[in-house]
Amino acid sequence: MKVIIFLIVYGLALSIALARKAPKSRTAVKPVSRGWGNRLHILIIGATGGTGRQPVRQALELGHQVTAFVRTPARLKVEHPNLRIVKGNVLDYASLESAMREQNVVVCALGHKRWFYPNKILSEGTRNILRAMKTCDVPRLVCESSLGIGNSVGRLGLLYTFFVIPLILPFIFWDKARQEKLIVERGVDWVIVRPAVLTNGAARGSYRHGPNLGNFLRTNRISRADVADFMLKQLTDDTYLGTAVAVCW
């Protein structure tokens, strides 16, 4: 019983901290005039990750020019005449700025598996992304985050709120909160995408998106393929510009 009480108190305390740490969404006053049409030059960060592979493939199918920024190029296993693979590390600013040149937009699906100790890989990597965007005059960022942060705290359901996040993912969620705060405070056009629990299933092509999705009791899910589809649509759609938007089945 004491363990259960501890988990509930700890989960509530962490949820309150995550809610306060992440900023409120802020609608941009005026989007940067694009003028580049529907064929974009897209820099995809984290292109060999679980979600990152999906926007690479989908963007190429849509006819975009894609630059995949990866630490290990051999892991991508995608070949296409419109694909450029750049080896680098998001914590190495010089390599990131080199990849950023001549891009229109950035899709960030940055992730890692260093869950069990404090780190700032997401936030410091995003700091470098934003700096390179400013240097190279790249106006728009679409970044993957997660439900369970800011005004979506608790919306991954009881299992995640009181067990998974507090015991397995506290450090990564804390860094995601720092990451979101950095994005909001910098002067770029941005959309933060907060998916439900991710699956490797096929795209359904039909999913929900909006500011108040998720569930406080049960856990919603969505495939990485559908998240990628939604993220790519935000590159030319201003509906959610300057907001953190949830997406789930």
Side-chain angles (χ1 to χ4, degrees), residues 103-232:
Q103 304 300 312
N104 301 132
V105 292
V106 178
V107 171
C108 178
L110 186 61
H112 62 82
K113 295 182 179 179
R114 300 177 185 180
W115 300 338
F116 296 109
Y117 58 89
N119 66 80
K120 296 184 178 181
I121 295 173
L122 299 178
S123 55
E124 289 303 313
T126 300
R127 189 187 302 276
N128 282 338
I129 292 169
L130 293 165
R131 177 185 168 192
M133 288 178 68
K134 182 177 180 180
T135 299
C136 299
D137 196 26
V138 178
R140 180 165 297 201
L141 170 66
V142 178
C143 182
E144 179 190 29
S145 182
S146 176
L147 279 177
I149 296 173
N151 57 10
S152 71
V153 159
R155 292 183 178 273
L156 278 176
L158 291 175
L159 175 64
Y160 274 75
T161 300
F162 293 106
F163 180 75
V164 177
I165 296 174
L167 297 184
I168 301 175
L169 303 175
F171 298 120
I172 195 169
F173 266 67
W174 193 250
D175 200 29
K176 281 180 180 291
R178 283 192 293 253
Q179 179 187 36
E180 288 195 8
K181 189 172 188 294
L182 282 168
I183 293 170
V184 172
E185 291 176 345
R186 298 301 174 95
V188 299
D189 288 347
W190 56 269
V191 179
I192 293 171
V193 178
R194 291 174 174 166
V197 173
L198 296 165
T199 77
N200 291 320
R204 294 183 180 180
S206 176
Y207 47 81
R208 297 178 293 150
H209 49 84
N212 297 309
L213 298 182
N215 194 290
F216 291 107
L217 297 179
R218 61 184 178 82
T219 299
N220 291 124
R221 301 181 185 277
I222 187 169
S223 70
R224 290 178 170 87
D226 279 330
V227 173
D229 176 74
F230 181 73
M231 292 179 73
L232 290 177

Side-chain angles (χ1 to χ4, degrees), residues 36-91:
W36 51 60
N38 293 322
R39 294 293 181 264
L40 309 179
H41 289 258
I42 306 173
L43 174 61
I44 299 180
I45 310 291
T48 57
T51 301
R53 297 171 188 268
Q54 292 293 332
V56 170
R57 293 190 176 95
Q58 293 181 28
L60 291 170
E61 290 172 359
L62 292 170
H64 299 304
Q65 297 286 332
V66 175
T67 296
F69 186 75
V70 298
R71 288 188 301 169
T72 310
R75 291 182 56 197
L76 187 56
K77 298 179 181 179
V78 177
E79 294 183 2
H80 195 282
N82 290 346
L83 174 64
R84 177 172 72 114
I85 300 175
V86 176
K87 181 179 180 179
N89 189 318
V90 75
L91 299 179

